[in-house]
Amino acid sequence: MSGLLEVGRVMRAHGLRGDVVVNLTTTRQERLAHGAVLRTTGTAAGTVEIERSSPHSGHWIVHFRGYDTREAAEGLRGTILCAEPIDDPDELWVHRLVGAEVVDQHGVARGHCCEVHAGAASDLLVLDTGALVPVAFVRGQDGDRILVDVPDGLFDL
């Protein structure tokens, strides 16, 4: 599924009528809007269409069209939900951050972002040099460069 991004994961069945609990791994709630079509992986590889969804206890209760029994919903357990990237220039996207060069406010290249960790206060850019940069310090992105404005001494740790 090259080019697709993971947007959620089916955790378990919910109730008797085919609903499932989904852990949404994106802040874009429109991924679960009525009529949205998502690609799936695992034993249920293919596509699913959202019939209805609602937030519930930090997750989402979702009903996919054609999955109308608890047994059908149980078959979706563990399924990864994927979608095409959304083109929004005002957002920072993990898939665009990973691999990009990190440049500080003085124009000094500090390494490449090799992953993004979810942190308690802020997500963290993990650089190939071992440095961690809170996403809160990201000013923007210029092509394949992440521009950061960090406090003095951050890279000296």
Side-chain angles (χ1 to χ4, degrees):
M1 285 206 257
S2 179
L4 297 179
L5 303 176
E6 180 178 328
V7 297
R9 184 179 300 255
V10 177
M11 297 171 62
R12 64 182 179 280
H14 179 82
L16 301 174
R17 297 192 176 138
D19 293 346
V20 294
V21 177
V22 170
N23 180 31
L24 193 62
T25 56
T26 176
T27 59
R28 304 301 290 248
Q29 297 177 3
E30 68 264 29
R31 297 293 198 177
L32 297 180
H34 173 78
V37 176
L38 301 173
R39 300 269 309 183
T40 59
T41 65
T43 57
T47 61
V48 290
E49 181 180 345
I50 308 291
E51 194 165 282
R52 64 180 177 273
S53 65
S54 61
H56 177 73
S57 299
H59 299 291
W60 287 78
I61 303 296
V62 177
H63 187 87
F64 298 114
R65 187 172 312 283
Y67 291 85
D68 298 322
T69 65
R70 181 172 184 87
E71 293 75 24
E74 282 290 345
L76 292 171
R77 179 188 296 264
T79 298
I80 297 172
L81 305 171
C82 300
E84 294 286 335
I86 296 172
D87 186 23
D88 185 345
D90 296 330
E91 292 281 347
L92 289 175
W93 300 104
V94 172
H95 70 280
R96 290 187 55 219
L97 295 173
V98 174
E101 181 180 41
V102 175
V103 178
D104 70 14
Q105 65 269 28
H106 306 293
V108 177
R110 296 298 187 158
H112 288 82
C113 177
C114 55
E115 58 185 296
V116 179
H117 277 285
S122 174
D123 290 347
L124 300 169
L125 302 178
V126 179
L127 306 189
D128 56 3
T129 61
L132 301 175
V133 179
V135 171
F137 296 138
V138 174
R139 284 188 328 214
Q141 207 166 359
D142 178 19
D144 289 336
R145 297 183 332 147
I146 302 168
L147 308 174
V148 297
D149 191 356
V150 299
D152 289 336
L154 181 83
F155 293 107
D156 297 334
L157 300 176

